[in-house]
Amino acid sequence: EMLSIDLRPAERGQRGIVEAVYYLQNEGPEQHLDLLFAFGSEDNADWSITLDDVPITGARTENTDTPRAWWPPATTPGLDGDTLSYGPGWITVRPLAFSIVVPAGASVLKVRYHAAVRIHLARPAMVRQFAYVLAPARAWAEFGGLDVTIQLPGGWPVAVTPVLERDGDLLRGRFDAIPANAIALTMRPPVPEAYLTTKRVAWGLYPLVAIIGL
């Protein structure tokens, strides 16, 4: 699987763009498969599916009886070492159902969609949370590896599990096995230095105000 996530639109309050490309290898005759794609957020739209560049029709299923591991994560990592609530109440996220006929040999399945970036109220700046569910890959007959790239808004601090390498505003990772049930990410706009300076000065004035008050 090659997973590309573009979170730069979050800077403008828009959905992130997710593209998951699966390189399939069928060693037998063609197979008809009924598949489910698990989402990491409830609010997603504009999805498309192709098999070898041929569009496939799909629909959101009404069935919410999906394995617990397929649910969005309960938390995302905090920027200060803590965790932030994410998943509770989101367990009714409906997967995307579609059918494909996998030909013998190699083929390429691609799923693309726009997914909500959740806002978490916080100071000094509101943080954004995002998740992508990896758990369904544990049911595959064979897993050939996962390549992940995540594009971030310019200069935004980020915390992510599993750990990904940061190069500028790009996160990268390569895994030979499923590293976790989900990728969970927290980010926020950079805090202006003027804000931090004002905060430090304000805290420094508290003792002076107390002394003057006495």
Side-chain angles (χ1 to χ4, degrees), residues 59-94:
R60 294 291 293 274
T61 175
E62 295 298 329
N63 178 22
T64 58
D65 187 22
T66 54
R68 177 64 181 86
W70 291 28
W71 296 356
T75 61
T76 64
L79 294 167
D80 299 316
D82 54 350
T83 59
L84 300 176
S85 176
Y86 180 79
W90 288 38
I91 60 175
T92 58
V93 175
R94 294 178 298 156

Side-chain angles (χ1 to χ4, degrees), residues 38-42 44 70-73 86 90 93 113 130-133:
F39 292 108
S41 66
E42 188 173 24
N44 53 79
W70 291 28
W71 296 356
Y86 180 79
W90 288 38
V93 175
Y113 63 99
F130 187 84
Y132 178 86
V133 178

Side-chain angles (χ1 to χ4, degrees), residues 79 128 152-159 166 169 185-191:
L79 294 167
R128 276 70 161 181
L152 305 171
W156 284 34
V158 65
R166 182 164 187 170
D169 295 319
L185 178 147
T186 304
M187 61 183 183
R188 77 172 178 210
V191 179

Side-chain angles (χ1 to χ4, degrees), residues 10-23:
E11 189 171 16
R12 304 184 298 275
Q14 299 173 359
R15 292 183 175 96
I17 303 170
V18 179
E19 183 176 89
V21 181
Y22 306 93
Y23 295 90

Side-chain angles (χ1 to χ4, degrees), residues 186-204:
T186 304
M187 61 183 183
R188 77 172 178 210
V191 179
E193 183 60 33
Y195 172 88
L196 298 176
T197 300
T198 302
K199 186 176 180 180
R200 287 192 291 266
V201 171
W203 278 108

Side-chain angles (χ1 to χ4, degrees), residues 21-201:
V21 181
Y22 306 93
Y23 295 90
L24 310 180
Q25 183 65 35
N26 180 13
E27 301 295 348
E30 69 175 27
Q31 297 187 46
H32 182 282
L33 300 179
D34 295 319
L35 302 177
L36 292 175
F37 185 90
F39 292 108
S41 66
E42 188 173 24
D43 183 12
N44 53 79
D46 301 326
W47 48 261
S48 65
I49 311 164
T50 61
L51 180 64
D52 291 335
D53 296 325
V54 177
I56 302 296
T57 300
R60 294 291 293 274
T61 175
E62 295 298 329
N63 178 22
T64 58
D65 187 22
T66 54
R68 177 64 181 86
W70 291 28
W71 296 356
T75 61
T76 64
L79 294 167
D80 299 316
D82 54 350
T83 59
L84 300 176
S85 176
Y86 180 79
W90 288 38
I91 60 175
T92 58
V93 175
R94 294 178 298 156
L96 179 66
F98 58 97
S99 298
I100 61 174
V101 177
V102 182
S107 57
V108 179
L109 174 67
K110 182 185 299 184
V111 179
R112 180 182 172 91
Y113 63 99
H114 293 188
V117 179
R118 190 179 188 190
I119 294 178
H120 183 95
L121 300 180
R123 294 181 178 179
M126 291 186 293
V127 300
R128 276 70 161 181
Q129 298 170 283
F130 187 84
Y132 178 86
V133 178
L134 298 170
R138 298 188 189 279
W140 298 352
E142 183 179 350
F143 182 77
L146 170 67
D147 285 300
V148 181
T149 58
I150 303 177
Q151 292 178 288
L152 305 171
W156 284 34
V158 65
V160 61
T161 56
V163 175
L164 301 175
E165 180 182 351
R166 182 164 187 170
D167 181 10
D169 295 319
L170 187 68
L171 300 178
R172 288 193 180 96
R174 164 70 188 175
F175 303 95
D176 294 327
I178 303 296
N181 283 343
I183 295 173
L185 178 147
T186 304
M187 61 183 183
R188 77 172 178 210
V191 179
E193 183 60 33
Y195 172 88
L196 298 176
T197 300
T198 302
K199 186 176 180 180
R200 287 192 291 266
V201 171

